[in-house]
Amino acid sequence: AQTPVKVTVTGAAGQIGYALLFRIASGQLLGADVPVKLSLLEIPQAVKAAEGTAMELDDCAFPLLSGIEVTDDAGKAFDGANVALLVGARPRTAGMERGDLLQANGGIFGPQGKAINDNAADDIRVLVVGNPANTNALIAQQHAPDVPAERFTAMTRLDHNRALSQLAAKLQVPVTEIMKMTIWGNHSATQYPDLFHAEVGGKIAAEQVDEAWLRDTFIPTVAKRGAAIIEARGASSAASAANAAIDHVFDWVNGAEWTSAAIPSDGSYGVPEGLISSFPVVSRGGKWEIIQGLEIDAFSRERIDASVRELEEERAAVRELGLI
Ligand code: NDP
């Protein structure tokens, strides 16, 4: 029988964790023929809740689930891990300054990066979901010098999927008709969903919608969708975030055509090297590759630059705090 793939999920007792773990165990993360072993990492006060989730996972009798461990020890959680989904993070609370937020998250993602460095399997792939995701991924990466830098990624796939859904509704086409959607930059309000390369029915999407809708409705709707969902449901968008995490890892491992992922920049499109920024990507042979050679119009350039500037400021701030 195939050796199970070890998948570590942090913040496993949280909302996203609850929406994510059952789908991983059912085979949706890696493929319907790949056995998995789950490791649930939590802070001590949430271990009991994570154990409750583990009991429910047991009760599903998933044929592909070969074992579950629950721990508050990062070294143990990442020991031999092949995939790490870093979901647990310190949320921004009212009145919290950016420096405090980054400091709190540095205290989580620095040690986790080191634990990954020292314990994970050679093929470890890391997806950071916990916000500020891009910079948390950078912090973890900088504490894992022995792991190839490109194994640290952050999630912009939910933004990508939201952009597909908004455009499909506007043009009244199935999402499957839309190709070449891209989210650029930071997973934050400055992100830039780009319709100048997206195609619907083989024609550029930006040419099929009016400019005012693109600028004043589409871009802000995609960027602020999380807040709209909290407003409507009274709880955050945990299930769609979990779904996007599944999409990201599945595509990374199994290959994919044009999609969006935040990966370390190689300097493409003027994004300073090393920043973990969202790009148009394909997945080939288990690696993300940035799609090259796209022309960037002035409207897009301005927005990509603004989001990348925010990433640079976050990197400068965590450097100043000594977190990287
Ligand atoms: P959620 O599971 O709802 O969210 C977890 C993280 O994902 C947050 O940082 C959140 O960011 C982020 N996120 C990214 N995209 C989305 C999205 N579309 N919708 C909602 N969230 C998104 O948080 P909970 O509070 O329910 O659970 C967090 C768990 O993490 C807790 O059980 C806590 O104990 C644990 N934790 C574990 C740590 C560890 O393992 N060492 C460390 C810290 C916490 P945002 O805040 O911006 O919404």
Side-chain angles (χ1 to χ4, degrees), residues 12 63 66 70 83 89 105 115 133 173 180 209-210 215 220 227 245 252 274 277 289-290:
S66 77
V70 181
V83 176
N105 280 298
V173 297
K180 306 186 178 177
V209 296
D210 59 90
R215 189 186 55 233
W252 193 358
S277 179
E289 291 171 15
I290 298 170

Side-chain angles (χ1 to χ4, degrees), residues 167-190:
L167 182 63
K170 172 73 176 173
L171 296 178
Q172 297 195 297
V173 297
V175 285
T176 49
E177 294 271 303
I178 305 173
M179 304 293 165
K180 306 186 178 177
M181 181 64 78
T182 304
I183 304 292
W184 297 89
N186 200 1
H187 169 68
S188 77
T190 67

Side-chain angles (χ1 to χ4, degrees), residues 11 14-16 41-43 46 87-89 91 112 129-131 158 236-237 241:
Q15 298 304 313
I16 295 175
L41 179 66
E42 261 298 352
I43 53 178
V87 178
Q112 287 185 356
V129 175
N131 282 313
L158 178 55
S236 70
S237 45

